[in-house]
Amino acid sequence: MSREEKLITLSKFLSLLLRHRPDILDLKMRRDGFVNARELIKKIKRRPGFGWVTIDDIKLLVTNDPKQRFELKYEEGELLIRARYGHSRSLPIRIQYKPIQLGEVKYLYHGTRADVLPWILREGLKPMARKYVHLSPSPEDAIEVAKRRKGKPVILQIDVESFLKNGGKIWKATDKVYLAKEIPPKYIKIYKYGVE
Ligand code: HQG
């Protein structure tokens, strides 16, 4: 495996642990989603194929991640790490996100697949297995999200301005990911059907 491939494998494993399954390594996760990075590395290194992992690899991965998936911070001399978004609905954590204000963003986008479109248009966007619905800042970013799934990609446009005016709330997790509890159908329009 090249170094790049190794870091991608590590990133996927970190996503699994920090978004869904800290129990796999018996990690102590705080209410704000942070875990102790030293403890995490110690436990990851014991896993087959991950003996090479160092703190510098984790720092590099976090800094270079184009989606800013993870966040590092020092607290009382200890390095902590958490996932910025994507958590399972069942994980007993709560992250304080910054709400976006009226006028800040006019539209956001959601990339999905044609087979679920009838449900989305009927009942709106739901978080499904996660804590939040995930939205993208541009159609180009939404296409990348849609391409992860099989089937015809669909890009939906969310009328953020009307949603916020009517009391809806949206939070910014990263430059590439915005979050909402749900988006009712009246704010959703098909922007592109069957791109690629
Ligand atoms: C769909 C990745 C039926 C929704 C991505 C989506 C993102 C409905 C799927 C982030 C529905 C949930 C999250 C409804 C929504 N009925 N289906 N009412 N409402 N859906 O994986 O947004 O690379 O939980 O359209 O790039 O695909 O891992 O959400 O297809 O940023 O960092 O239910 O994860 O980021 O799927 O992806 P997901 P997502 P990473």
Side-chain angles (χ1 to χ4, degrees), residues 19 67 69 85 110 112 116 119-120 123-126 128 130 134 145 148-149 177:
R19 290 176 179 175
K67 284 188 79 178
R69 292 179 173 87
Y85 62 88
H110 179 82
T112 190
V116 291
W119 276 277
I120 294 175
E123 59 174 36
L125 281 167
K126 303 274 184 189
M128 312 308 282
R130 304 192 199 252
H134 288 59
V145 177
R148 289 156 52 244
R149 308 202 175 278
V177 177

Side-chain angles (χ1 to χ4, degrees), residues 79-118:
L79 186 61
L80 307 177
I81 184 168
R82 74 176 170 189
R84 289 187 197 267
Y85 62 88
H87 302 85
S88 281
R89 157 185 229 132
S90 58
L91 212 60
I93 65 144
R94 201 186 161 136
I95 295 180
Q96 289 274 326
Y97 293 107
K98 203 169 127 290
I100 62 167
Q101 305 300 319
L102 196 59
E104 214 175 302
V105 179
K106 198 163 163 56
Y107 297 107
L108 288 169
Y109 300 84
H110 179 82
T112 190
R113 292 288 171 165
D115 57 343
V116 291
L117 196 55

Side-chain angles (χ1 to χ4, degrees), residues 4-22:
E4 206 177 321
E5 287 166 337
K6 278 161 103 177
L7 286 174
I8 291 171
T9 311
L10 175 61
S11 172
K12 290 195 170 160
F13 190 39
L14 284 179
S15 289
L16 174 66
L17 294 168
L18 299 174
R19 290 176 179 175
H20 314 290
R21 298 285 314 274

Side-chain angles (χ1 to χ4, degrees), residues 129-145:
R130 304 192 199 252
K131 287 189 190 293
Y132 297 94
V133 169
H134 288 59
L135 304 170
S136 303
S138 72
E140 293 75 23
D141 292 306
I143 286 167
E144 295 307 314
V145 177

